[in-house]
């Protein structure tokens, strides 16, 4: 409430009734998935299959331990809180001053929160390589979410896009973990 404020909450609440907000958010979520998949294909062609970064590995482990709780956190809470913090507070504030700066900072910070600095400081070249090769996927995600928020002028659109992306990723993870295959 402190970050957002009552007027913004009212604005968001009014959009809850608008089905187009969800439809556009879902479409941006699909764009996110396509862009990340395309990046994954290109990076695999260039670098080979380097595997999952530490963020993904941690999510796989949490899926094994508490799948329902993780699903709620990843699909509902993460999109709400991350969009409030990164799109509304960070991107929105910077956007008022400089659009390019807002994009650069917004997608970079979003990418870096999914990056393992432990790997960077470990000295393990393979761990560092995996983190660096996977980083652009998160940067792309941050960029698409910033664009959805800016273009639709709606936090709910970027939240829906983020939730769509996370839901599909969570379903894939559940299939990998409980389908008997090794998560990559």
């Amino acid at each position: 409430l402190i970050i957002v404020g009552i007027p913004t909450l009212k604005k968001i609440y009014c959009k809850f009734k608008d089905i187009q907000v969800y439809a556009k958010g879902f479409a941006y979520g699909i764009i996110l998935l396509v862009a990340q998949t395309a990046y994954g294909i290109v990076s695999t062609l260039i670098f080979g299959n380097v595997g999952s970064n530490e963020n993904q590995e941690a999510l796989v482990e949490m899926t094994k331990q508490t799948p329902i709780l993780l699903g709620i956190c990843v699909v509902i809470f993460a999109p709400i809180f991350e969009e409030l913090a990164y799109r509304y507070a960070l991107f929105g504030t910077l956007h008022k001053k400089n659009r390019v700066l807002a994009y650069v900072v917004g997608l970079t910070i979003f990418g870096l929160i999914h990056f393992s600095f432990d790997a960077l400081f470990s000295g393990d070249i393979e761990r560092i390589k995996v983190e660096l090769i996977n980083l652009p996927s998160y940067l792309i995600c941050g960029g698409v979410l910033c664009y959805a928020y800016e273009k639709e002028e709606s936090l709910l659109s970027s939240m829906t896009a983020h939730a769509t992306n996370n839901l599909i990723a969570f379903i894939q993870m559940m299939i990998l973990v409980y389908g008997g295959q090794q998560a990559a």
Side-chain angles (χ1 to χ4, degrees):
L1 280 173
I2 295 170
I3 293 174
V4 179
I6 300 299
T8 301
L9 288 175
K10 285 181 181 177
K11 209 167 137 181
I12 293 169
Y13 176 74
C14 289
K15 297 264 185 175
F16 269 91
K17 300 172 192 169
D18 186 357
I19 193 75
Q20 287 184 345
V21 170
Y22 297 104
K24 289 178 181 179
F26 180 76
Y28 284 111
I30 299 303
I31 290 167
L32 265 174
L33 293 165
V34 169
Q36 289 175 317
T37 301
Y39 173 74
I41 292 168
V42 170
S43 70
T44 300
L45 290 172
I46 295 170
F47 302 108
N49 186 3
V50 296
S52 300
N53 66 355
E54 290 185 22
N55 181 60
Q56 283 299 110
E57 289 173 5
L59 290 171
V60 168
E61 284 307 309
M62 286 187 270
T63 300
K64 292 175 183 175
Q65 302 299 318
T66 56
I68 294 171
L69 180 61
L70 180 70
I72 292 167
C73 289
V74 166
V75 178
I76 298 170
F77 293 122
I80 291 170
F81 293 116
E82 288 182 10
E83 292 309 303
L84 284 169
Y86 302 115
R87 251 52 70 197
Y88 176 76
L90 180 64
F91 180 81
T93 300
L94 290 174
H95 193 273
K96 292 173 188 169
K97 298 180 183 341
N98 185 306
R99 181 177 186 254
V100 173
L101 178 66
Y103 270 96
V104 170
V105 172
L107 65 92
T108 300
I109 298 294
F110 186 79
L112 290 177
I113 64 159
H114 296 90
F115 184 85
S116 172
F117 287 95
D118 287 345
L120 188 62
F121 296 118
S122 72
D124 182 341
I125 299 302
E126 284 306 308
R127 281 178 64 197
I128 295 168
K129 178 182 170 185
V130 168
E131 290 299 320
L132 290 173
I133 290 171
N134 281 288
L135 179 61
S137 181
Y138 295 108
L139 298 173
I140 291 165
C141 186
V144 171
L145 292 170
C146 285
Y147 182 78
Y149 174 68
E150 176 190 45
K151 178 79 172 158
E152 302 308 322
E153 298 178 350
S154 168
L155 193 57
L156 200 52
S157 281
S158 62
M159 284 180 183
T160 303
H162 198 149
T164 300
N165 179 72
N166 287 9
L167 175 63
I168 301 299
F170 180 71
I171 290 169
Q172 290 172 328
M173 202 169 3
M174 292 290 287
I175 291 168
L176 288 172
V177 169
Y178 293 105
Q181 298 178 6
Q182 276 291 0

